Amino acid sequence: RGRPVTEPNPHLALVFQQFALFPWLTVGQNIEQALIPRGIELSARRQRVAEIITLIGLDGFEEAYPRELSGGMKQRVGIARALVVHPEVLCMDDPFSQMDPLTTETLRGEVVNLWRDREKYPESILLVSHDIHEVALMASRILIMAANPGRIKTIIDNSLPYPRDPHAPAYQALVDHLHGILTGLYLPEEAVAP
């Protein structure tokens, strides 16, 4: 919105890489924690928590504690806690790196589908990832970072249509191009593969 961020922003939400859940709280209570500082009354909080639990596929686990959940379920709780505040921007810090491949694949698809529902969910998702395939599958705009000092090396628009087919030649060409940039085979100024 053209203003520097100098304090916590109520329009942003964050999903952490590690499962940042309170072990002494249930699934429902962990999600509700995001609403308490906003001064939302108890009945409205419980209603929003119930809606997001259904949306994220946590029905039946409302009273479970984190120790009773798989890694994928824990990350669903983290995503639900972020979405319950209806953020404009959802920031995700390598959110799928702690899970098994099948759970990761499922959650990636679910996050993309949530983002594509423009009426209810975040306008933008900022995803930090070290996985080239994850980026090619999910991102519409890819910013590749360089180190020392940290800076944007190049920006690539990903125009592949959703849902993306990882076996399609255009997808493979994008993955190869991204790999080339990251490994130094291609210069960032090169034309971007479609």
mmCIF file with all atom_site columns, all heavy atoms in Angstrom, residues 71-72 75-76 79 94-111 129 131 133-134 137-138:
data_model
loop_
_atom_site.group_PDB
_atom_site.id
_atom_site.type_symbol
_atom_site.label_atom_id
_atom_site.label_alt_id
_atom_site.label_comp_id
_atom_site.label_asym_id
_atom_site.label_entity_id
_atom_site.label_seq_id
_atom_site.pdbx_PDB_ins_code
_atom_site.Cartn_x
_atom_site.Cartn_y
_atom_site.Cartn_z
_atom_site.occupancy
_atom_site.B_iso_or_equiv
_atom_site.pdbx_formal_charge
_atom_site.auth_seq_id
_atom_site.auth_comp_id
_atom_site.auth_asym_id
_atom_site.auth_atom_id
_atom_site.pdbx_PDB_model_num
ATOM 1   N N   . GLY A 1 71  ? 2.959  -34.664 10.938  1.00 0.00 ? 71  GLY A N   1
ATOM 2   C CA  . GLY A 1 71  ? 3.572  -33.418 10.483  1.00 0.00 ? 71  GLY A CA  1
ATOM 3   C C   . GLY A 1 71  ? 2.675  -32.636 9.539   1.00 0.00 ? 71  GLY A C   1
ATOM 4   O O   . GLY A 1 71  ? 2.554  -31.419 9.636   1.00 0.00 ? 71  GLY A O   1
ATOM 5   N N   . GLY A 1 72  ? 2.018  -33.339 8.616   1.00 0.00 ? 72  GLY A N   1
ATOM 6   C CA  . GLY A 1 72  ? 1.114  -32.659 7.690   1.00 0.00 ? 72  GLY A CA  1
ATOM 7   C C   . GLY A 1 72  ? -0.061 -32.020 8.395   1.00 0.00 ? 72  GLY A C   1
ATOM 8   O O   . GLY A 1 72  ? -0.478 -30.912 8.058   1.00 0.00 ? 72  GLY A O   1
ATOM 9   N N   . GLN A 1 75  ? 1.069  -28.861 10.127  1.00 0.00 ? 75  GLN A N   1
ATOM 10  C CA  . GLN A 1 75  ? 1.227  -27.736 9.215   1.00 0.00 ? 75  GLN A CA  1
ATOM 11  C C   . GLN A 1 75  ? -0.128 -27.214 8.762   1.00 0.00 ? 75  GLN A C   1
ATOM 12  O O   . GLN A 1 75  ? -0.292 -26.019 8.541   1.00 0.00 ? 75  GLN A O   1
ATOM 13  C CB  . GLN A 1 75  ? 2.106  -28.122 8.031   1.00 0.00 ? 75  GLN A CB  1
ATOM 14  C CG  . GLN A 1 75  ? 2.633  -26.923 7.270   1.00 0.00 ? 75  GLN A CG  1
ATOM 15  C CD  . GLN A 1 75  ? 3.515  -26.010 8.091   1.00 0.00 ? 75  GLN A CD  1
ATOM 16  O OE1 . GLN A 1 75  ? 3.154  -25.520 9.159   1.00 0.00 ? 75  GLN A OE1 1
ATOM 17  N NE2 . GLN A 1 75  ? 4.699  -25.759 7.593   1.00 0.00 ? 75  GLN A NE2 1
ATOM 18  N N   . ARG A 1 76  ? -1.123 -28.084 8.650   1.00 0.00 ? 76  ARG A N   1
ATOM 19  C CA  . ARG A 1 76  ? -2.478 -27.620 8.342   1.00 0.00 ? 76  ARG A CA  1
ATOM 20  C C   . ARG A 1 76  ? -2.974 -26.672 9.441   1.00 0.00 ? 76  ARG A C   1
ATOM 21  O O   . ARG A 1 76  ? -3.643 -25.686 9.156   1.00 0.00 ? 76  ARG A O   1
ATOM 22  C CB  . ARG A 1 76  ? -3.450 -28.796 8.237   1.00 0.00 ? 76  ARG A CB  1
ATOM 23  C CG  . ARG A 1 76  ? -3.364 -29.559 6.960   1.00 0.00 ? 76  ARG A CG  1
ATOM 24  C CD  . ARG A 1 76  ? -4.352 -30.734 6.986   1.00 0.00 ? 76  ARG A CD  1
ATOM 25  N NE  . ARG A 1 76  ? -4.108 -31.649 5.914   1.00 0.00 ? 76  ARG A NE  1
ATOM 26  C CZ  . ARG A 1 76  ? -4.620 -31.540 4.704   1.00 0.00 ? 76  ARG A CZ  1
ATOM 27  N NH1 . ARG A 1 76  ? -5.436 -30.555 4.433   1.00 0.00 ? 76  ARG A NH1 1
ATOM 28  N NH2 . ARG A 1 76  ? -4.332 -32.416 3.772   1.00 0.00 ? 76  ARG A NH2 1
ATOM 29  N N   . ILE A 1 79  ? -1.359 -23.358 8.850   1.00 0.00 ? 79  ILE A N   1
ATOM 30  C CA  . ILE A 1 79  ? -1.999 -22.675 7.711   1.00 0.00 ? 79  ILE A CA  1
ATOM 31  C C   . ILE A 1 79  ? -3.367 -22.156 8.124   1.00 0.00 ? 79  ILE A C   1
ATOM 32  O O   . ILE A 1 79  ? -3.730 -21.018 7.802   1.00 0.00 ? 79  ILE A O   1
ATOM 33  C CB  . ILE A 1 79  ? -2.089 -23.623 6.499   1.00 0.00 ? 79  ILE A CB  1
ATOM 34  C CG1 . ILE A 1 79  ? -0.684 -23.932 5.963   1.00 0.00 ? 79  ILE A CG1 1
ATOM 35  C CG2 . ILE A 1 79  ? -2.964 -23.023 5.401   1.00 0.00 ? 79  ILE A CG2 1
ATOM 36  C CD1 . ILE A 1 79  ? -0.630 -25.062 4.944   1.00 0.00 ? 79  ILE A CD1 1
ATOM 37  N N   . ASP A 1 94  ? 9.170  -21.603 3.632   1.00 0.00 ? 94  ASP A N   1
ATOM 38  C CA  . ASP A 1 94  ? 9.516  -23.001 3.344   1.00 0.00 ? 94  ASP A CA  1
ATOM 39  C C   . ASP A 1 94  ? 8.586  -23.951 4.103   1.00 0.00 ? 94  ASP A C   1
ATOM 40  O O   . ASP A 1 94  ? 9.040  -24.845 4.828   1.00 0.00 ? 94  ASP A O   1
ATOM 41  C CB  . ASP A 1 94  ? 10.979 -23.245 3.723   1.00 0.00 ? 94  ASP A CB  1
ATOM 42  C CG  . ASP A 1 94  ? 11.710 -24.099 2.702   1.00 0.00 ? 94  ASP A CG  1
ATOM 43  O OD1 . ASP A 1 94  ? 11.046 -24.635 1.796   1.00 0.00 ? 94  ASP A OD1 1
ATOM 44  O OD2 . ASP A 1 94  ? 12.931 -24.242 2.824   1.00 0.00 ? 94  ASP A OD2 1
ATOM 45  N N   . PRO A 1 95  ? 7.264  -23.796 3.957   1.00 0.00 ? 95  PRO A N   1
ATOM 46  C CA  . PRO A 1 95  ? 6.312  -24.473 4.832   1.00 0.00 ? 95  PRO A CA  1
ATOM 47  C C   . PRO A 1 95  ? 6.176  -25.976 4.640   1.00 0.00 ? 95  PRO A C   1
ATOM 48  O O   . PRO A 1 95  ? 5.611  -26.653 5.487   1.00 0.00 ? 95  PRO A O   1
ATOM 49  C CB  . PRO A 1 95  ? 4.989  -23.783 4.495   1.00 0.00 ? 95  PRO A CB  1
ATOM 50  C CG  . PRO A 1 95  ? 5.152  -23.399 3.060   1.00 0.00 ? 95  PRO A CG  1
ATOM 51  C CD  . PRO A 1 95  ? 6.602  -22.993 2.937   1.00 0.00 ? 95  PRO A CD  1
ATOM 52  N N   . PHE A 1 96  ? 6.680  -26.508 3.537   1.00 0.00 ? 96  PHE A N   1
ATOM 53  C CA  . PHE A 1 96  ? 6.476  -27.923 3.254   1.00 0.00 ? 96  PHE A CA  1
ATOM 54  C C   . PHE A 1 96  ? 7.744  -28.749 3.439   1.00 0.00 ? 96  PHE A C   1
ATOM 55  O O   . PHE A 1 96  ? 7.746  -29.946 3.184   1.00 0.00 ? 96  PHE A O   1
ATOM 56  C CB  . PHE A 1 96  ? 5.938  -28.103 1.832   1.00 0.00 ? 96  PHE A CB  1
ATOM 57  C CG  . PHE A 1 96  ? 4.768  -27.216 1.534   1.00 0.00 ? 96  PHE A CG  1
ATOM 58  C CD1 . PHE A 1 96  ? 4.860  -26.215 0.581   1.00 0.00 ? 96  PHE A CD1 1
ATOM 59  C CD2 . PHE A 1 96  ? 3.568  -27.357 2.216   1.00 0.00 ? 96  PHE A CD2 1
ATOM 60  C CE1 . PHE A 1 96  ? 3.787  -25.389 0.308   1.00 0.00 ? 96  PHE A CE1 1
ATOM 61  C CE2 . PHE A 1 96  ? 2.487  -26.528 1.952   1.00 0.00 ? 96  PHE A CE2 1
ATOM 62  C CZ  . PHE A 1 96  ? 2.598  -25.540 0.990   1.00 0.00 ? 96  PHE A CZ  1
ATOM 63  N N   . SER A 1 97  ? 8.810  -28.139 3.897   1.00 0.00 ? 97  SER A N   1
ATOM 64  C CA  . SER A 1 97  ? 10.108 -28.818 3.958   1.00 0.00 ? 97  SER A CA  1
ATOM 65  C C   . SER A 1 97  ? 10.186 -29.874 5.063   1.00 0.00 ? 97  SER A C   1
ATOM 66  O O   . SER A 1 97  ? 11.048 -30.740 5.015   1.00 0.00 ? 97  SER A O   1
ATOM 67  C CB  . SER A 1 97  ? 11.229 -27.803 4.144   1.00 0.00 ? 97  SER A CB  1
ATOM 68  O OG  . SER A 1 97  ? 11.087 -27.137 5.382   1.00 0.00 ? 97  SER A OG  1
ATOM 69  N N   . GLN A 1 98  ? 9.300  -29.836 6.039   1.00 0.00 ? 98  GLN A N   1
ATOM 70  C CA  . GLN A 1 98  ? 9.352  -30.767 7.162   1.00 0.00 ? 98  GLN A CA  1
ATOM 71  C C   . GLN A 1 98  ? 8.402  -31.953 7.007   1.00 0.00 ? 98  GLN A C   1
ATOM 72  O O   . GLN A 1 98  ? 8.183  -32.685 7.969   1.00 0.00 ? 98  GLN A O   1
ATOM 73  C CB  . GLN A 1 98  ? 9.014  -30.023 8.467   1.00 0.00 ? 98  GLN A CB  1
ATOM 74  C CG  . GLN A 1 98  ? 9.880  -28.829 8.753   1.00 0.00 ? 98  GLN A CG  1
ATOM 75  C CD  . GLN A 1 98  ? 11.295 -29.234 9.109   1.00 0.00 ? 98  GLN A CD  1
ATOM 76  O OE1 . GLN A 1 98  ? 11.510 -30.154 9.870   1.00 0.00 ? 98  GLN A OE1 1
ATOM 77  N NE2 . GLN A 1 98  ? 12.265 -28.552 8.523   1.00 0.00 ? 98  GLN A NE2 1
ATOM 78  N N   . MET A 1 99  ? 7.857  -32.136 5.802   1.00 0.00 ? 99  MET A N   1
ATOM 79  C CA  . MET A 1 99  ? 6.838  -33.164 5.621   1.00 0.00 ? 99  MET A CA  1
ATOM 80  C C   . MET A 1 99  ? 7.248  -34.187 4.573   1.00 0.00 ? 99  MET A C   1
ATOM 81  O O   . MET A 1 99  ? 8.133  -33.940 3.760   1.00 0.00 ? 99  MET A O   1
ATOM 82  C CB  . MET A 1 99  ? 5.525  -32.502 5.213   1.00 0.00 ? 99  MET A CB  1
ATOM 83  C CG  . MET A 1 99  ? 4.926  -31.669 6.320   1.00 0.00 ? 99  MET A CG  1
ATOM 84  S SD  . MET A 1 99  ? 3.384  -30.929 5.830   1.00 0.00 ? 99  MET A SD  1
ATOM 85  C CE  . MET A 1 99  ? 3.966  -29.634 4.782   1.00 0.00 ? 99  MET A CE  1
ATOM 86  N N   . ASP A 1 100 ? 6.537  -35.309 4.573   1.00 0.00 ? 100 ASP A N   1
ATOM 87  C CA  . ASP A 1 100 ? 6.801  -36.350 3.594   1.00 0.00 ? 100 ASP A CA  1
ATOM 88  C C   . ASP A 1 100 ? 6.302  -35.899 2.217   1.00 0.00 ? 100 ASP A C   1
ATOM 89  O O   . ASP A 1 100 ? 5.449  -35.017 2.110   1.00 0.00 ? 100 ASP A O   1
ATOM 90  C CB  . ASP A 1 100 ? 6.125  -37.659 4.009   1.00 0.00 ? 100 ASP A CB  1
ATOM 91  C CG  . ASP A 1 100 ? 4.608  -37.549 4.001   1.00 0.00 ? 100 ASP A CG  1
ATOM 92  O OD1 . ASP A 1 100 ? 4.000  -37.781 2.934   1.00 0.00 ? 100 ASP A OD1 1
ATOM 93  O OD2 . ASP A 1 100 ? 4.027  -37.206 5.052   1.00 0.00 ? 100 ASP A OD2 1
ATOM 94  N N   . PRO A 1 101 ? 6.831  -36.492 1.136   1.00 0.00 ? 101 PRO A N   1
ATOM 95  C CA  . PRO A 1 101 ? 6.509  -36.028 -0.225  1.00 0.00 ? 101 PRO A CA  1
ATOM 96  C C   . PRO A 1 101 ? 5.028  -36.068 -0.584  1.00 0.00 ? 101 PRO A C   1
ATOM 97  O O   . PRO A 1 101 ? 4.536  -35.144 -1.235  1.00 0.00 ? 101 PRO A O   1
ATOM 98  C CB  . PRO A 1 101 ? 7.312  -36.978 -1.118  1.00 0.00 ? 101 PRO A CB  1
ATOM 99  C CG  . PRO A 1 101 ? 8.439  -37.446 -0.266  1.00 0.00 ? 101 PRO A CG  1
ATOM 100 C CD  . PRO A 1 101 ? 7.890  -37.500 1.133   1.00 0.00 ? 101 PRO A CD  1
ATOM 101 N N   . LEU A 1 102 ? 4.293  -37.078 -0.184  1.00 0.00 ? 102 LEU A N   1
ATOM 102 C CA  . LEU A 1 102 ? 2.880  -37.157 -0.553  1.00 0.00 ? 102 LEU A CA  1
ATOM 103 C C   . LEU A 1 102 ? 2.046  -36.092 0.148   1.00 0.00 ? 102 LEU A C   1
ATOM 104 O O   . LEU A 1 102 ? 1.183  -35.457 -0.455  1.00 0.00 ? 102 LEU A O   1
ATOM 105 C CB  . LEU A 1 102 ? 2.321  -38.544 -0.249  1.00 0.00 ? 102 LEU A CB  1
ATOM 106 C CG  . LEU A 1 102 ? 2.851  -39.663 -1.150  1.00 0.00 ? 102 LEU A CG  1
ATOM 107 C CD1 . LEU A 1 102 ? 2.306  -41.012 -0.701  1.00 0.00 ? 102 LEU A CD1 1
ATOM 108 C CD2 . LEU A 1 102 ? 2.507  -39.404 -2.607  1.00 0.00 ? 102 LEU A CD2 1
ATOM 109 N N   . THR A 1 103 ? 2.314  -35.863 1.428   1.00 0.00 ? 103 THR A N   1
ATOM 110 C CA  . THR A 1 103 ? 1.609  -34.810 2.167   1.00 0.00 ? 103 THR A CA  1
ATOM 111 C C   . THR A 1 103 ? 1.956  -33.451 1.581   1.00 0.00 ? 103 THR A C   1
ATOM 112 O O   . THR A 1 103 ? 1.089  -32.592 1.410   1.00 0.00 ? 103 THR A O   1
ATOM 113 C CB  . THR A 1 103 ? 1.983  -34.861 3.660   1.00 0.00 ? 103 THR A CB  1
ATOM 114 O OG1 . THR A 1 103 ? 1.646  -36.155 4.164   1.00 0.00 ? 103 THR A OG1 1
ATOM 115 C CG2 . THR A 1 103 ? 1.244  -33.801 4.451   1.00 0.00 ? 103 THR A CG2 1
ATOM 116 N N   . THR A 1 104 ? 3.227  -33.268 1.246   1.00 0.00 ? 104 THR A N   1
ATOM 117 C CA  . THR A 1 104 ? 3.675  -32.014 0.647   1.00 0.00 ? 104 THR A CA  1
ATOM 118 C C   . THR A 1 104 ? 2.939  -31.739 -0.655  1.00 0.00 ? 104 THR A C   1
ATOM 119 O O   . THR A 1 104 ? 2.447  -30.639 -0.888  1.00 0.00 ? 104 THR A O   1
ATOM 120 C CB  . THR A 1 104 ? 5.195  -32.056 0.402   1.00 0.00 ? 104 THR A CB  1
ATOM 121 O OG1 . THR A 1 104 ? 5.842  -32.165 1.666   1.00 0.00 ? 104 THR A OG1 1
ATOM 122 C CG2 . THR A 1 104 ? 5.683  -30.826 -0.317  1.00 0.00 ? 104 THR A CG2 1
ATOM 123 N N   . GLU A 1 105 ? 2.842  -32.741 -1.504  1.00 0.00 ? 105 GLU A N   1
ATOM 124 C CA  . GLU A 1 105 ? 2.160  -32.590 -2.792  1.00 0.00 ? 105 GLU A CA  1
ATOM 125 C C   . GLU A 1 105 ? 0.705  -32.184 -2.593  1.00 0.00 ? 105 GLU A C   1
ATOM 126 O O   . GLU A 1 105 ? 0.190  -31.277 -3.256  1.00 0.00 ? 105 GLU A O   1
ATOM 127 C CB  . GLU A 1 105 ? 2.252  -33.898 -3.571  1.00 0.00 ? 105 GLU A CB  1
ATOM 128 C CG  . GLU A 1 105 ? 1.681  -33.821 -4.960  1.00 0.00 ? 105 GLU A CG  1
ATOM 129 C CD  . GLU A 1 105 ? 1.855  -35.127 -5.721  1.00 0.00 ? 105 GLU A CD  1
ATOM 130 O OE1 . GLU A 1 105 ? 2.788  -35.893 -5.416  1.00 0.00 ? 105 GLU A OE1 1
ATOM 131 O OE2 . GLU A 1 105 ? 1.035  -35.378 -6.620  1.00 0.00 ? 105 GLU A OE2 1
ATOM 132 N N   . THR A 1 106 ? 0.032  -32.829 -1.647  1.00 0.00 ? 106 THR A N   1
ATOM 133 C CA  . THR A 1 106 ? -1.369 -32.513 -1.358  1.00 0.00 ? 106 THR A CA  1
ATOM 134 C C   . THR A 1 106 ? -1.520 -31.082 -0.855  1.00 0.00 ? 106 THR A C   1
ATOM 135 O O   . THR A 1 106 ? -2.373 -30.324 -1.338  1.00 0.00 ? 106 THR A O   1
ATOM 136 C CB  . THR A 1 106 ? -1.932 -33.493 -0.310  1.00 0.00 ? 106 THR A CB  1
ATOM 137 O OG1 . THR A 1 106 ? -1.834 -34.816 -0.834  1.00 0.00 ? 106 THR A OG1 1
ATOM 138 C CG2 . THR A 1 106 ? -3.368 -33.183 0.026   1.00 0.00 ? 106 THR A CG2 1
ATOM 139 N N   . LEU A 1 107 ? -0.696 -30.688 0.113   1.00 0.00 ? 107 LEU A N   1
ATOM 140 C CA  . LEU A 1 107 ? -0.819 -29.346 0.685   1.00 0.00 ? 107 LEU A CA  1
ATOM 141 C C   . LEU A 1 107 ? -0.462 -28.260 -0.327  1.00 0.00 ? 107 LEU A C   1
ATOM 142 O O   . LEU A 1 107 ? -1.079 -27.190 -0.326  1.00 0.00 ? 107 LEU A O   1
ATOM 143 C CB  . LEU A 1 107 ? 0.049  -29.212 1.936   1.00 0.00 ? 107 LEU A CB  1
ATOM 144 C CG  . LEU A 1 107 ? -0.541 -29.834 3.191   1.00 0.00 ? 107 LEU A CG  1
ATOM 145 C CD1 . LEU A 1 107 ? 0.424  -29.689 4.360   1.00 0.00 ? 107 LEU A CD1 1
ATOM 146 C CD2 . LEU A 1 107 ? -1.878 -29.213 3.545   1.00 0.00 ? 107 LEU A CD2 1
ATOM 147 N N   . ARG A 1 108 ? 0.509  -28.508 -1.185  1.00 0.00 ? 108 ARG A N   1
ATOM 148 C CA  . ARG A 1 108 ? 0.826  -27.528 -2.237  1.00 0.00 ? 108 ARG A CA  1
ATOM 149 C C   . ARG A 1 108 ? -0.410 -27.250 -3.087  1.00 0.00 ? 108 ARG A C   1
ATOM 150 O O   . ARG A 1 108 ? -0.755 -26.096 -3.352  1.00 0.00 ? 108 ARG A O   1
ATOM 151 C CB  . ARG A 1 108 ? 1.940  -28.051 -3.136  1.00 0.00 ? 108 ARG A CB  1
ATOM 152 C CG  . ARG A 1 108 ? 3.309  -27.991 -2.584  1.00 0.00 ? 108 ARG A CG  1
ATOM 153 C CD  . ARG A 1 108 ? 4.276  -28.598 -3.582  1.00 0.00 ? 108 ARG A CD  1
ATOM 154 N NE  . ARG A 1 108 ? 5.618  -28.684 -3.043  1.00 0.00 ? 108 ARG A NE  1
ATOM 155 C CZ  . ARG A 1 108 ? 6.504  -29.598 -3.397  1.00 0.00 ? 108 ARG A CZ  1
ATOM 156 N NH1 . ARG A 1 108 ? 6.196  -30.511 -4.306  1.00 0.00 ? 108 ARG A NH1 1
ATOM 157 N NH2 . ARG A 1 108 ? 7.699  -29.603 -2.870  1.00 0.00 ? 108 ARG A NH2 1
ATOM 158 N N   . GLY A 1 109 ? -1.059 -28.321 -3.523  1.00 0.00 ? 109 GLY A N   1
ATOM 159 C CA  . GLY A 1 109 ? -2.263 -28.163 -4.343  1.00 0.00 ? 109 GLY A CA  1
ATOM 160 C C   . GLY A 1 109 ? -3.370 -27.434 -3.613  1.00 0.00 ? 109 GLY A C   1
ATOM 161 O O   . GLY A 1 109 ? -4.056 -26.580 -4.189  1.00 0.00 ? 109 GLY A O   1
ATOM 162 N N   . GLU A 1 110 ? -3.539 -27.744 -2.337  1.00 0.00 ? 110 GLU A N   1
ATOM 163 C CA  . GLU A 1 110 ? -4.582 -27.080 -1.556  1.00 0.00 ? 110 GLU A CA  1
ATOM 164 C C   . GLU A 1 110 ? -4.298 -25.594 -1.391  1.00 0.00 ? 110 GLU A C   1
ATOM 165 O O   . GLU A 1 110 ? -5.215 -24.767 -1.483  1.00 0.00 ? 110 GLU A O   1
ATOM 166 C CB  . GLU A 1 110 ? -4.727 -27.758 -0.201  1.00 0.00 ? 110 GLU A CB  1
ATOM 167 C CG  . GLU A 1 110 ? -5.352 -29.132 -0.292  1.00 0.00 ? 110 GLU A CG  1
ATOM 168 C CD  . GLU A 1 110 ? -5.422 -29.873 1.032   1.00 0.00 ? 110 GLU A CD  1
ATOM 169 O OE1 . GLU A 1 110 ? -5.071 -29.281 2.073   1.00 0.00 ? 110 GLU A OE1 1
ATOM 170 O OE2 . GLU A 1 110 ? -5.822 -31.045 1.026   1.00 0.00 ? 110 GLU A OE2 1
ATOM 171 N N   . VAL A 1 111 ? -3.047 -25.233 -1.159  1.00 0.00 ? 111 VAL A N   1
ATOM 172 C CA  . VAL A 1 111 ? -2.696 -23.811 -1.005  1.00 0.00 ? 111 VAL A CA  1
ATOM 173 C C   . VAL A 1 111 ? -2.938 -23.063 -2.313  1.00 0.00 ? 111 VAL A C   1
ATOM 174 O O   . VAL A 1 111 ? -3.485 -21.956 -2.317  1.00 0.00 ? 111 VAL A O   1
ATOM 175 C CB  . VAL A 1 111 ? -1.244 -23.650 -0.512  1.00 0.00 ? 111 VAL A CB  1
ATOM 176 C CG1 . VAL A 1 111 ? -0.778 -22.204 -0.631  1.00 0.00 ? 111 VAL A CG1 1
ATOM 177 C CG2 . VAL A 1 111 ? -1.116 -24.127 0.933   1.00 0.00 ? 111 VAL A CG2 1
ATOM 178 N N   . SER A 1 129 ? 11.058 -20.708 -0.798  1.00 0.00 ? 129 SER A N   1
ATOM 179 C CA  . SER A 1 129 ? 11.266 -22.131 -1.014  1.00 0.00 ? 129 SER A CA  1
ATOM 180 C C   . SER A 1 129 ? 12.651 -22.369 -1.603  1.00 0.00 ? 129 SER A C   1
ATOM 181 O O   . SER A 1 129 ? 13.181 -21.534 -2.323  1.00 0.00 ? 129 SER A O   1
ATOM 182 C CB  . SER A 1 129 ? 10.210 -22.680 -1.978  1.00 0.00 ? 129 SER A CB  1
ATOM 183 O OG  . SER A 1 129 ? 10.434 -24.054 -2.220  1.00 0.00 ? 129 SER A OG  1
ATOM 184 N N   . ASP A 1 131 ? 12.957 -25.397 -3.165  1.00 0.00 ? 131 ASP A N   1
ATOM 185 C CA  . ASP A 1 131 ? 12.572 -26.509 -4.019  1.00 0.00 ? 131 ASP A CA  1
ATOM 186 C C   . ASP A 1 131 ? 12.123 -25.970 -5.382  1.00 0.00 ? 131 ASP A C   1
ATOM 187 O O   . ASP A 1 131 ? 11.074 -25.326 -5.489  1.00 0.00 ? 131 ASP A O   1
ATOM 188 C CB  . ASP A 1 131 ? 11.441 -27.289 -3.338  1.00 0.00 ? 131 ASP A CB  1
ATOM 189 C CG  . ASP A 1 131 ? 11.049 -28.542 -4.074  1.00 0.00 ? 131 ASP A CG  1
ATOM 190 O OD1 . ASP A 1 131 ? 11.024 -28.544 -5.320  1.00 0.00 ? 131 ASP A OD1 1
ATOM 191 O OD2 . ASP A 1 131 ? 10.739 -29.537 -3.386  1.00 0.00 ? 131 ASP A OD2 1
ATOM 192 N N   . HIS A 1 133 ? 10.948 -27.488 -8.034  1.00 0.00 ? 133 HIS A N   1
ATOM 193 C CA  . HIS A 1 133 ? 9.659  -28.015 -8.492  1.00 0.00 ? 133 HIS A CA  1
ATOM 194 C C   . HIS A 1 133 ? 8.494  -27.356 -7.762  1.00 0.00 ? 133 HIS A C   1
ATOM 195 O O   . HIS A 1 133 ? 7.464  -27.066 -8.369  1.00 0.00 ? 133 HIS A O   1
ATOM 196 C CB  . HIS A 1 133 ? 9.616  -29.537 -8.322  1.00 0.00 ? 133 HIS A CB  1
ATOM 197 C CG  . HIS A 1 133 ? 10.451 -30.254 -9.330  1.00 0.00 ? 133 HIS A CG  1
ATOM 198 N ND1 . HIS A 1 133 ? 10.030 -30.524 -10.599 1.00 0.00 ? 133 HIS A ND1 1
ATOM 199 C CD2 . HIS A 1 133 ? 11.722 -30.739 -9.255  1.00 0.00 ? 133 HIS A CD2 1
ATOM 200 C CE1 . HIS A 1 133 ? 10.967 -31.146 -11.267 1.00 0.00 ? 133 HIS A CE1 1
ATOM 201 N NE2 . HIS A 1 133 ? 12.019 -31.291 -10.473 1.00 0.00 ? 133 HIS A NE2 1
ATOM 202 N N   . GLU A 1 134 ? 8.649  -27.110 -6.496  1.00 0.00 ? 134 GLU A N   1
ATOM 203 C CA  . GLU A 1 134 ? 7.610  -26.430 -5.720  1.00 0.00 ? 134 GLU A CA  1
ATOM 204 C C   . GLU A 1 134 ? 7.340  -25.046 -6.293  1.00 0.00 ? 134 GLU A C   1
ATOM 205 O O   . GLU A 1 134 ? 6.189  -24.642 -6.466  1.00 0.00 ? 134 GLU A O   1
ATOM 206 C CB  . GLU A 1 134 ? 8.066  -26.326 -4.267  1.00 0.00 ? 134 GLU A CB  1
ATOM 207 C CG  . GLU A 1 134 ? 7.076  -25.692 -3.337  1.00 0.00 ? 134 GLU A CG  1
ATOM 208 C CD  . GLU A 1 134 ? 7.498  -25.919 -1.902  1.00 0.00 ? 134 GLU A CD  1
ATOM 209 O OE1 . GLU A 1 134 ? 7.117  -26.966 -1.347  1.00 0.00 ? 134 GLU A OE1 1
ATOM 210 O OE2 . GLU A 1 134 ? 8.216  -25.065 -1.346  1.00 0.00 ? 134 GLU A OE2 1
ATOM 211 N N   . LEU A 1 137 ? 5.575  -25.315 -9.680  1.00 0.00 ? 137 LEU A N   1
ATOM 212 C CA  . LEU A 1 137 ? 4.182  -25.735 -9.523  1.00 0.00 ? 137 LEU A CA  1
ATOM 213 C C   . LEU A 1 137 ? 3.288  -24.641 -8.961  1.00 0.00 ? 137 LEU A C   1
ATOM 214 O O   . LEU A 1 137 ? 2.133  -24.512 -9.344  1.00 0.00 ? 137 LEU A O   1
ATOM 215 C CB  . LEU A 1 137 ? 4.100  -26.946 -8.587  1.00 0.00 ? 137 LEU A CB  1
ATOM 216 C CG  . LEU A 1 137 ? 4.346  -28.299 -9.215  1.00 0.00 ? 137 LEU A CG  1
ATOM 217 C CD1 . LEU A 1 137 ? 4.515  -29.362 -8.136  1.00 0.00 ? 137 LEU A CD1 1
ATOM 218 C CD2 . LEU A 1 137 ? 3.218  -28.681 -10.155 1.00 0.00 ? 137 LEU A CD2 1
ATOM 219 N N   . MET A 1 138 ? 3.811  -23.837 -8.042  1.00 0.00 ? 138 MET A N   1
ATOM 220 C CA  . MET A 1 138 ? 2.959  -22.927 -7.290  1.00 0.00 ? 138 MET A CA  1
ATOM 221 C C   . MET A 1 138 ? 3.014  -21.472 -7.741  1.00 0.00 ? 138 MET A C   1
ATOM 222 O O   . MET A 1 138 ? 1.998  -20.790 -7.721  1.00 0.00 ? 138 MET A O   1
ATOM 223 C CB  . MET A 1 138 ? 3.329  -23.007 -5.806  1.00 0.00 ? 138 MET A CB  1
ATOM 224 C CG  . MET A 1 138 ? 3.069  -24.359 -5.185  1.00 0.00 ? 138 MET A CG  1
ATOM 225 S SD  . MET A 1 138 ? 3.465  -24.414 -3.432  1.00 0.00 ? 138 MET A SD  1
ATOM 226 C CE  . MET A 1 138 ? 2.079  -23.488 -2.751  1.00 0.00 ? 138 MET A CE  1
#
